[in-house]
Amino acid sequence: MMEMKAVTSSKLASVGYRPNAMILRIKFIKDGVFEYYGVPESLYSGLIEAESPGRYFKQYIKDKYRYVRLQNLS
């Protein structure tokens, strides 16, 4: 079970990170839950601390890491 932290964003609901596996999980408000692989912990930290998590995601994570959409996660 991955602990998810709520973020203040119009696009992202919450984020979680598994450091030993370098997996970033993001729950989007409209699009569901996605896992991104090979993401450094520094990017996770930057995402949860960003003034605009949605903008940070778009700039540093989106289209840069392999990902899958997860099913049946609330």
Side-chain angles (χ1 to χ4, degrees):
M1 187 79 177
M2 185 181 295
E3 179 186 345
M4 300 293 286
K5 293 184 179 184
V7 292
T8 304
S9 172
S10 62
K11 304 273 190 230
L12 284 59
S14 57
V15 298
Y17 189 72
R18 186 170 295 133
N20 57 335
M22 295 178 69
I23 297 173
L24 173 67
R25 183 179 291 170
I26 300 177
K27 181 177 182 183
F28 292 89
I29 292 171
K30 293 185 179 178
D31 298 323
V33 180
F34 290 76
E35 280 190 346
Y36 295 82
Y37 302 102
V39 179
E41 192 166 2
S42 59
L43 284 184
Y44 165 69
S45 298
L47 181 63
I48 61 172
E49 295 170 4
E51 185 175 320
S52 173
R55 191 177 310 132
Y56 188 94
F57 167 77
K58 189 174 181 181
Q59 184 172 358
Y60 296 107
I61 299 164
K62 185 179 180 183
D63 299 328
K64 293 176 173 56
Y65 294 93
R66 186 174 64 86
Y67 67 90
V68 295
R69 184 176 189 173
L70 302 181
Q71 300 297 322
N72 302 321
L73 287 179
S74 56

